[in-house]
Amino acid sequence: MKKDPEEIWGRCLEVIKDNVSQQSFKTWFEPIQPVKFAANVLTIQVPSQFFYEWLEEHYIDLLKKIIRKEIGADGRLEYSIIMENNYKSANPYTVRVPTSNSREVKNPAVSLPIDVENTPIKNPFIIPGLRKIKIESHLSPHYSFENFIEGDCNRLARSAGFAVAQKPGGTAFNPLLVYGGVGLGKTHLIHAIGLEIKRNHPEKTVLYVSAEKFTQQFIEAVKNNTIGDFQQFYQMMDVLIIDDVQFLSGKEKTQDVFFHIFNHLHQGGKQLVISSDKAPVEMSGMEQRLLSRFKWGLSADLQTPGLETRIAILQKKMYAEGIELPKEVVEYLAYSITTNIRELEGAMISLIAQSSLNKKAVTLELAKQMIDKFVKNTAREVSIDYIQKVVCDYFDLPIELLKSKTRKREVVQARQIAMYFAKKMTKSSLANIGAHCGGKDHATVLHACRTVNNLQETDKQFRGYLEDLEKKLSIH
Ligand code: ADP
Ligand code: MG
């Protein structure tokens, strides 16, 4: 076999190409340089720490598989990272990081409830010939409570989760059901609960599984005639964390087996943590008896985070990645992407990638371009917060005044203009707009829109204001 790093990496790239999107390949794999191959370790050079973490987080399984295939079972990948000082440094230096294998949070070995030696085992979950098995928790250390920013949007869910983690199975919150829209932190929070339980109670067996994987395993078990083993496996847990339980809707057989597992665990004082994209009352295709079980404990929702929380989340992320961004860029991101934290983080990461690959500084201009490119596929609108900020900056008013009830003439006018743009550029209801602008009702907002419309027809200077503002607000 040839020991040339280029040759080996070239073969790896061919496989990678077939497994990732073209865009991802361009962004994340083309910039990689193979630098060394020795003692079964392939060293690749990546442009930044962030780049390395991104690969580890998103492509590690793929990379491991490929390395195993190309180099062999004891093949390893090492990264050499070009460290840059604010993208300006003339002489980059590199650090070496081996691929992490230590990310898995370990469960203790558990005894099997079945007599392994005398049973012909077909259970895919249990390794034959072992009395004790290790069950992987599937918890990601990155999704910890420390990394989970608290805000009004998640306070109840977060504190209930934290309480559960101190006394799993020992609180009224059993099951704990966390629900909320896409990208609002459900998966993160339920991982955090699992991690915190492992920290407080290392002896407990904790398992995180997505409802989708649970379903696949169940289907496999049906095929292999191992439903009993499947059920027994899940009934061994001290803490069972099921993500995206709405996936079970319409799948009666899977719901049925889950119902039995649920009952067994609950009766045994074991903790269940469940996430869903809907409140139990809104879940359709779910058996009534299962829904009624969900209501036994606590359902806590995750709402869309407010502006301050969004900024705090970005700052936390930047801190974790060891990056710095201009304040106006962070604010712009937080103002522009309002309903999905994953998207918010994604935009920031793309921005940094873009800047580090092209060696361009991250400016507001670049941020605007990126946001257009990366977010254009999803419905995005300017937020009321952003409109208020732009209007206040324009008239040089503190934003607090605009949100207050004051009736000073210049504030009233700015507030009416903000309401007008909010009506025009967002999908918010009149009532919601009013609530954002000093607790006004929908009639006041309607009145404001009419006033602004009238004024712009009669007052030239006023129309000038609107045109300026409209330009500032249009993101393109
Ligand atoms: P969901 O499961 O609800 O779709 P995720 O848990 O996957 O959402 O969250 C999406 C991203 O947002 C993750 O990277 C997560 O770390 C991050 N995130 C969500 N909520 C918070 C928070 N309160 N603090 C910090 N990061 C958060
Ligand atoms: Mg999720």
Side-chain angles (χ1 to χ4, degrees):
M1 204 219 277
K2 260 203 145 181
K3 301 280 177 202
D4 178 3
E6 263 104 42
E7 160 111 31
I8 295 175
W9 184 239
R11 283 201 303 267
C12 293
L13 280 181
E14 271 165 36
V15 185
I16 292 169
K17 210 169 198 164
D18 291 338
N19 283 281
V20 305
S21 74
Q22 202 187 346
Q23 179 65 40
S24 310
F25 186 79
K26 255 190 137 80
T27 312
W28 302 111
F29 294 98
E30 278 185 358
I32 295 176
Q33 299 287 338
V35 287
K36 201 171 122 193
F37 181 71
N40 281 340
V41 179
L42 175 68
T43 307
I44 56 174
Q45 189 181 58
V46 297
S48 66
Q49 170 75 15
F50 150 74
F51 206 101
Y52 146 72
E53 283 172 14
W54 181 267
L55 288 172
E56 278 279 288
E57 204 169 318
H58 296 87
Y59 299 107
I60 190 60
D61 291 337
L62 177 64
L63 285 169
K64 274 187 184 160
K65 253 187 234 153
I66 291 169
I67 290 295
R68 209 176 305 135
K69 181 167 165 277
E70 295 300 330
I71 308 179
D74 53 351
R76 271 202 311 142
L77 191 64
E78 260 183 26
Y79 299 87
S80 144
I81 301 171
I82 307 174
M83 299 298 275
E84 283 166 290
N85 266 334
N86 287 335
Y87 316 113
K88 287 196 285 278
S89 160
N91 40 354
Y93 64 97
T94 65
V95 291
R96 307 180 79 202
V97 202
T99 41
S100 59
N101 314 324
S102 54
R103 293 200 149 207
E104 189 57 39
V105 177
K106 294 282 185 317
N107 275 314
V110 288
S111 303
L112 291 178
I114 40 175
D115 182 356
V116 179
E117 260 150 39
N118 299 318
T119 329
I121 295 201
K122 280 184 282 167
N123 190 338
F125 308 102
I126 294 170
I127 306 145
L130 291 178
R131 268 185 174 284
K132 293 208 161 202
I133 58 161
K134 286 244 181 214
I135 295 166
E136 289 190 356
S137 65
H138 295 285
L139 292 170
S140 156
H142 171 73
Y143 284 154
S144 62
F145 270 115
E146 288 84 64
N147 290 338
F148 193 76
I149 299 283
E150 184 174 353
D152 290 339
C153 56
N154 59 35
R155 193 153 285 129
L156 173 68
R158 188 187 177 283
S159 46
F162 201 75
V164 160
Q166 309 310 310
K167 277 174 79 177
T171 68
F173 311 146
N174 198 13
L176 174 63
L177 183 110
V178 176
Y179 67 92
V182 179
L184 293 184
K186 300 180 295 291
T187 298
H188 187 144
L189 180 59
I190 61 180
H191 271 267
I193 297 169
L195 291 170
E196 185 67 16
I197 293 176
K198 289 303 298 179
R199 206 165 68 97
N200 296 326
H201 309 275
E203 76 289 355
K204 291 212 187 288
T205 302
V206 179
L207 180 73
Y208 165 92
V209 67
S210 65
E212 185 174 3
K213 188 162 163 198
F214 180 88
T215 305
Q216 284 163 1
Q217 290 176 345
F218 175 65
I219 293 170
E220 270 306 294
V222 172
K223 249 199 251 156
N224 300 334
N225 219 358
T226 53
I227 300 173
D229 294 345
F230 171 85
Q231 199 164 329
Q232 229 156 10
F233 172 79
Y234 277 98
Q235 289 177 354
M236 277 160 33
M237 303 306 149
D238 295 313
V239 179
L240 180 59
I241 303 174
I242 302 254
D243 204 357
D244 288 321
V245 79
Q246 76 277 356
F247 188 85
L248 301 187
S249 74
K251 304 188 172 63
E252 281 166 36
K253 296 256 163 52
T254 319
Q255 283 182 37
D256 194 48
V257 72
F258 180 56
F259 179 75
H260 289 292
I261 292 168
F262 184 105
N263 284 340
H264 181 96
L265 293 175
H266 198 272
Q267 276 158 22
K270 306 299 171 66
Q271 179 71 44
L272 290 121
V273 179
I274 300 167
S275 88
S276 158
D277 67 352
K278 286 187 200 67
V281 282
E282 289 168 5
M283 278 186 222
S284 54
M286 247 354 163
E287 277 185 52
Q288 212 46 49
R289 54 180 189 166
L290 204 50
L291 287 182
S292 83
R293 292 295 186 278
F294 292 169
K295 291 179 196 149
W296 278 356
L298 177 76
S299 306
D301 67 334
L302 293 176
Q303 293 170 351
T304 47
L307 178 65
E308 269 147 39
T309 310
R310 297 200 296 276
I311 292 179
I313 290 172
L314 285 178
Q315 281 168 340
K316 180 97 204 175
K317 185 88 180 168
M318 283 157 53
Y319 183 77
E321 311 275 5
I323 49 185
E324 278 184 44
L325 288 178
K327 186 163 164 280
E328 53 180 5
V329 170
V330 176
E331 284 180 356
Y332 181 77
L333 289 174
Y335 277 124
S336 315
I337 304 181
T338 59
T339 54
N340 181 329
I341 300 171
R342 186 176 305 127
E343 214 167 73
L344 186 63
E345 289 182 347
M348 185 179 76
I349 282 163
S350 310
L351 185 59
I352 292 156
Q354 193 67 16
S355 132
S356 94
L357 293 177
N358 297 340
K359 307 248 189 294
K360 272 199 233 162
V362 183
T363 58
L364 191 55
E365 213 31 58
L366 187 65
K368 289 187 178 183
Q369 287 168 13
M370 281 303 297
I371 292 223
D372 281 350
K373 249 203 238 139
F374 275 77
V375 194
K376 70 169 176 239
N377 293 331
T378 59
R380 176 171 57 94
E381 62 180 35
V382 197
S383 68
I384 301 180
D385 288 330
Y386 189 62
I387 292 172
Q388 289 178 330
K389 182 177 164 7
V390 170
V391 170
C392 284
D393 283 354
Y394 186 76
F395 292 113
D396 205 14
L397 288 174
I399 199 156
E400 296 74 41
L401 270 188
L402 194 104
K403 293 187 179 187
S404 75
K405 291 198 187 302
T406 185
R407 304 178 71 126
K408 275 198 191 140
R409 197 177 143 9
E410 69 274 17
V411 180
V412 170
Q413 190 161 73
R415 193 186 287 132
Q416 286 182 329
I417 291 177
M419 288 175 174
Y420 163 83
F421 279 115
K423 176 74 190 100
K424 190 169 170 189
M425 305 181 100
T426 76
K427 291 193 200 75
S428 299
S429 66
L430 293 171
N432 189 29
I433 295 171
H436 271 75
C437 300
K440 308 290 184 201
D441 62 13
H442 78 281
T444 311
V445 180
L446 214 52
H447 173 70
C449 294
R450 286 206 196 102
T451 309
V452 171
N453 271 325
N454 290 338
L455 268 177
Q456 72 171 327
E457 276 166 27
T458 52
D459 184 335
K460 209 166 164 206
Q461 190 190 18
F462 187 82
R463 187 164 34 196
Y465 293 159
L466 290 190
E467 281 164 8
D468 283 352
L469 281 165
E470 180 127 29
K471 247 183 245 143
K472 287 186 192 295
L473 285 168
S474 62
I475 295 180
H476 300 277

